[in-house]
């Protein structure tokens, strides 16, 4: 008997992943490709990282394209989504809004421009890409949208007020959008990761990494693929009755009582 090779969970889907040149976006895009989706990899400046990933996906028999856009520009978001769908033969079945910024800055001394830079980057692209994607998905019978929020949408961290506020906004956008786009067949959810491994993190913040490991029920930081797995689930038929949900992926840290 030939080896059984089950179809991937996302076989036949065309997905756009924003921020796919960055750490978590790469993990999401790779998992989508492994599950059979054709993947449009969005980046802004991380072009070589996105291209390297696209080559890797194509080298394994998958389909990928690299598209560039600054997501603070509403027209650029619309063009990005349209280009992804054109590349997908007129179809876009899944959008993952992963691009975002996460600078650390205390409230004391923060200017309105600095506040806006984070809130606008982390929310406007999410709103504009989702709107453009929903308009394309509607006539095709629907699709899925997943925003990457953060555990900090619920548990604030000092130096991250702008970031926490932006991620809480993203969670609420998804819940509201789930209601408005549900009748169009479009599901909208968020994935809220905890601390995810990236190169240099342990050297830059050894004490934070140690604390996280201690707090995690499974004793480790997250990996980009852990976030990717959650996004694959939400984009797949297995989640056809899941919408307006925030899926926390944090190794159990937020389950731990703080008292
Ligand atoms: N790392 C964590 O522990 C963690 C935890 C919870 C949530 N998150 C969230 O997960 C997402 C990915 O984080 P990450 O750690 O992978 O960060 P990352 O490596 O810095 O990737 C983020 C990507 O967002 C893109 N981006 C930023 N501003 C943009 C803009 N104006 N227009 C278009 N693209 C823009 C960047 O694209 P270019 O590089 O191409 O310019 C970057 O590659 C973020 O939304 C973050 O808030 C991260």
């Amino acid at each position: 008997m030939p080896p059984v090779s089950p179809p991937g969970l996302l076989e036949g889907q065309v997905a756009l992943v924003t921020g796919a040149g960055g750490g978590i976006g790469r993990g999401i895009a790779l998992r989508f490709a492994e599950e059979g989706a054709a993947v449009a990899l969005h980046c802004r400046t991380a072009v070589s990282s996105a291209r390297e990933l696209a080559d890797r996906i194509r080298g394994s028999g998958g389909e990928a394209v690299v598209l560039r856009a600054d997501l603070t520009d509403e027209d650029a978001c619309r063009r990005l989504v349209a280009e992804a769908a054109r590349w997908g033969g007129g179809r876009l079945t899944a959008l993952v809004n992963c691009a975002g910024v996460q600078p650390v800055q205390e409230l004391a001394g923060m200017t309105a421009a600095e506040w806006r830079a984070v809130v606008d980057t982390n929310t406007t692209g999410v709103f504009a890409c989702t709107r453009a994607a929903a308009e394309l998905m509607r006539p095709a019978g629907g699709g899925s949208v997943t925003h990457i929020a953060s555990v900090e949408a619920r548990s604030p961290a000092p130096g991250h007020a702008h970031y926490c506020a932006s991620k809480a906004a993203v969670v609420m956008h998804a819940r509201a959008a789930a209601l408005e786009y549900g009748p169009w067949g479009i599901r909208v959810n968020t994935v809220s990761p905890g601390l995810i491994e990236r190169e240099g993190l342990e050297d830059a913040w050894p004490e934070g990494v140690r604390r996280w490991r201690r707090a995690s029920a499974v004793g480790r930081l997250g990996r980009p693929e852990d976030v990717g797995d959650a996004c694959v689930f939400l984009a797949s038929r297995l989640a056809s009755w899941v919408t307006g949900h925030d899926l926390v992926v944090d190794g159990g840290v937020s389950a731990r009582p703080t008292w």
Side-chain angles (χ1 to χ4, degrees), residues 9-10 13 32 94 144 187 230-241:
L9 276 169
L10 304 181
Q13 293 218 28
F32 269 56
S144 72
R187 297 179 297 100
C231 294
V232 164
F233 165 68
L234 289 171
S236 78
R237 61 185 146 66
L238 302 182
S240 60
W241 212 44

Short mmCIF file of all heavy atoms in Angstrom, two decimals, residues 9-10 13 32 94 144 187 230-241:
data_model
loop_
_atom_site.label_atom_id
_atom_site.label_comp_id
_atom_site.label_asym_id
_atom_site.label_seq_id
_atom_site.Cartn_x
_atom_site.Cartn_y
_atom_site.Cartn_z
N LEU A 9 -4.74 20.66 5.95
CA LEU A 9 -5.96 21.31 6.47
C LEU A 9 -6.38 22.52 5.65
O LEU A 9 -7.53 22.94 5.71
CB LEU A 9 -5.72 21.76 7.91
CG LEU A 9 -5.91 20.70 8.99
CD1 LEU A 9 -5.38 21.21 10.32
CD2 LEU A 9 -7.39 20.34 9.10
N LEU A 10 -5.42 23.11 4.92
CA LEU A 10 -5.74 24.34 4.18
C LEU A 10 -5.61 24.13 2.67
O LEU A 10 -5.47 25.11 1.92
CB LEU A 10 -4.83 25.48 4.64
CG LEU A 10 -4.87 25.78 6.15
CD1 LEU A 10 -3.95 26.96 6.49
CD2 LEU A 10 -6.30 26.08 6.63
N GLN A 13 -6.71 26.59 -0.33
CA GLN A 13 -6.90 27.97 0.15
C GLN A 13 -5.81 28.91 -0.40
O GLN A 13 -4.69 28.48 -0.72
CB GLN A 13 -6.84 28.02 1.68
CG GLN A 13 -8.01 27.31 2.34
CD GLN A 13 -8.49 28.06 3.59
OE1 GLN A 13 -8.37 29.27 3.72
NE2 GLN A 13 -9.08 27.30 4.51
N PHE A 32 1.03 27.56 7.13
CA PHE A 32 -0.04 27.60 6.13
C PHE A 32 0.40 26.83 4.88
O PHE A 32 -0.37 26.05 4.32
CB PHE A 32 -0.41 29.05 5.77
CG PHE A 32 -1.52 29.61 6.62
CD1 PHE A 32 -1.41 29.62 8.01
CD2 PHE A 32 -2.67 30.13 6.05
CE1 PHE A 32 -2.43 30.12 8.81
CE2 PHE A 32 -3.70 30.63 6.84
CZ PHE A 32 -3.59 30.63 8.22
N ALA A 94 -8.18 33.37 3.07
CA ALA A 94 -7.75 33.60 4.46
C ALA A 94 -6.81 34.80 4.53
O ALA A 94 -5.94 34.96 3.67
CB ALA A 94 -7.05 32.36 5.01
N SER A 144 -11.84 33.53 6.07
CA SER A 144 -11.49 33.75 7.49
C SER A 144 -10.46 34.86 7.61
O SER A 144 -9.63 35.05 6.73
CB SER A 144 -10.92 32.47 8.12
OG SER A 144 -9.62 32.22 7.62
N ARG A 187 -15.48 34.58 8.99
CA ARG A 187 -15.20 34.45 10.42
C ARG A 187 -13.99 35.32 10.77
O ARG A 187 -13.03 35.38 10.00
CB ARG A 187 -14.91 33.00 10.78
CG ARG A 187 -16.09 32.07 10.55
CD ARG A 187 -15.76 30.63 10.89
NE ARG A 187 -14.71 30.06 10.06
CZ ARG A 187 -13.45 29.94 10.41
NH1 ARG A 187 -13.05 30.28 11.63
NH2 ARG A 187 -12.57 29.42 9.58
N ALA A 230 -2.17 27.68 15.72
CA ALA A 230 -3.46 28.25 16.13
C ALA A 230 -4.14 28.94 14.94
O ALA A 230 -5.35 28.83 14.76
CB ALA A 230 -3.23 29.24 17.28
N CYS A 231 -3.32 29.62 14.13
CA CYS A 231 -3.88 30.31 12.95
C CYS A 231 -4.37 29.31 11.92
O CYS A 231 -5.40 29.54 11.27
CB CYS A 231 -2.83 31.24 12.33
SG CYS A 231 -2.38 32.61 13.39
N VAL A 232 -3.65 28.21 11.74
CA VAL A 232 -4.09 27.16 10.80
C VAL A 232 -5.46 26.65 11.25
O VAL A 232 -6.39 26.55 10.44
CB VAL A 232 -3.07 25.99 10.76
CG1 VAL A 232 -3.69 24.75 10.10
CG2 VAL A 232 -1.83 26.40 10.00
N PHE A 233 -5.58 26.35 12.52
CA PHE A 233 -6.88 25.86 13.04
C PHE A 233 -7.98 26.86 12.72
O PHE A 233 -9.03 26.49 12.18
CB PHE A 233 -6.78 25.63 14.55
CG PHE A 233 -8.12 25.49 15.22
CD1 PHE A 233 -8.93 24.40 14.97
CD2 PHE A 233 -8.59 26.49 16.08
CE1 PHE A 233 -10.19 24.28 15.57
CE2 PHE A 233 -9.84 26.38 16.68
CZ PHE A 233 -10.64 25.28 16.42
N LEU A 234 -7.75 28.13 13.02
CA LEU A 234 -8.82 29.13 12.84
C LEU A 234 -9.17 29.35 11.37
O LEU A 234 -10.30 29.72 11.06
CB LEU A 234 -8.42 30.45 13.50
CG LEU A 234 -8.43 30.40 15.04
CD1 LEU A 234 -7.82 31.68 15.62
CD2 LEU A 234 -9.85 30.19 15.59
N ALA A 235 -8.22 29.11 10.47
CA ALA A 235 -8.51 29.28 9.03
C ALA A 235 -9.10 28.02 8.42
O ALA A 235 -9.56 28.05 7.28
CB ALA A 235 -7.21 29.65 8.30
N SER A 236 -9.10 26.93 9.17
CA SER A 236 -9.50 25.64 8.60
C SER A 236 -10.99 25.36 8.82
O SER A 236 -11.66 26.03 9.62
CB SER A 236 -8.68 24.52 9.24
OG SER A 236 -9.20 24.21 10.53
N ARG A 237 -11.46 24.31 8.15
CA ARG A 237 -12.87 23.90 8.31
C ARG A 237 -13.14 23.43 9.74
O ARG A 237 -14.29 23.42 10.18
CB ARG A 237 -13.22 22.79 7.30
CG ARG A 237 -12.39 21.56 7.48
CD ARG A 237 -12.64 20.50 6.43
NE ARG A 237 -11.43 19.77 6.10
CZ ARG A 237 -10.76 18.97 6.91
NH1 ARG A 237 -11.20 18.77 8.14
NH2 ARG A 237 -9.67 18.36 6.54
N LEU A 238 -12.10 23.07 10.48
CA LEU A 238 -12.29 22.62 11.87
C LEU A 238 -12.83 23.75 12.75
O LEU A 238 -13.38 23.50 13.82
CB LEU A 238 -10.96 22.12 12.47
CG LEU A 238 -10.28 20.97 11.75
CD1 LEU A 238 -9.02 20.56 12.49
CD2 LEU A 238 -11.22 19.77 11.63
N ALA A 239 -12.66 24.99 12.27
CA ALA A 239 -13.11 26.14 13.07
C ALA A 239 -14.32 26.82 12.43
O ALA A 239 -14.55 28.00 12.66
CB ALA A 239 -11.96 27.14 13.21
N SER A 240 -15.10 26.05 11.68
CA SER A 240 -16.19 26.70 10.92
C SER A 240 -17.26 27.32 11.82
O SER A 240 -18.04 28.15 11.37
CB SER A 240 -16.82 25.71 9.93
OG SER A 240 -17.33 24.62 10.65
N TRP A 241 -17.28 26.94 13.11
CA TRP A 241 -18.27 27.55 14.01
C TRP A 241 -17.57 28.39 15.09
O TRP A 241 -18.13 28.66 16.14
CB TRP A 241 -19.16 26.46 14.65
CG TRP A 241 -20.55 26.96 14.91
CD1 TRP A 241 -21.33 27.70 14.08
CD2 TRP A 241 -21.33 26.75 16.10
NE1 TRP A 241 -22.54 27.97 14.66
CE2 TRP A 241 -22.57 27.39 15.90
CE3 TRP A 241 -21.09 26.08 17.30
CZ2 TRP A 241 -23.58 27.38 16.86
CZ3 TRP A 241 -22.09 26.07 18.26
CH2 TRP A 241 -23.33 26.72 18.04
#
